[in-house]
Amino acid sequence: MAYLADYADTSCASEYHEAAVASGMSPREEQRHLVAYAPLVKRIVRQLNSQVSGTMSREDMEQIGLMGLLEALRRYGTPDNGFGSFASLRIRGAIL
C-alpha cells in the first residue's frame, strides 16, 4: 500500500484508482481481494505448468494470472460465492 502513496501524482495511479472505483471497490478493498484470491492463481498455474512450461516461465504465468484475477475482480465487482468459478476462467484464459 505504501507504493500508492509514492505514485499519487502520476497518471498511472489515477488510472488504477479510477478502474478500482468503477468496479465499486476502493483500491484497498481491491488489493485485499487480490491477496485473498492469489492462492487460486498459484493453483491454476501449477495445473497449467505442464501445458505451457516450454513457452513461458512459472513466474511469468503467475504475473499474467494475477492480471487476469485483477480484470476478473473489476468485471465482477465485489466477490461472492460464485466469484471463484468466474475468476478461474478469466485466469486460465489470460495465461493461455
Side-chain angles (χ1 to χ4, degrees):
M1 288 303 290
Y3 66 89
L4 284 178
D6 294 340
Y7 298 104
D9 305 348
T10 66
S11 63
C12 183
S14 64
E15 289 174 14
Y16 176 82
H17 180 71
E18 289 172 14
V21 170
S23 69
M25 290 184 278
S26 71
R28 186 176 303 257
E29 287 177 303
E30 196 173 73
Q31 184 177 16
R32 186 173 51 87
H33 292 304
L34 281 172
V35 170
Y37 283 95
L40 177 64
V41 173
K42 289 189 177 280
R43 184 177 52 123
I44 292 170
V45 166
R46 201 170 41 249
Q47 291 170 350
L48 296 176
N49 194 33
S50 63
Q51 294 176 8
V52 294
S53 63
T55 57
M56 70 176 78
S57 70
R58 187 176 181 132
E59 292 83 16
D60 289 341
M61 290 171 49
E62 286 180 4
Q63 288 297 312
I64 294 168
L66 286 170
M67 289 189 291
L69 175 59
L70 179 60
E71 183 180 339
L73 266 172
R74 289 181 176 168
R75 288 180 184 263
Y76 195 89
T78 305
D80 58 12
N81 290 337
F83 177 72
S85 299
F86 177 77
S88 294
L89 291 173
R90 301 296 298 190
I91 294 165
R92 285 179 193 275
I95 294 170
L96 295 175

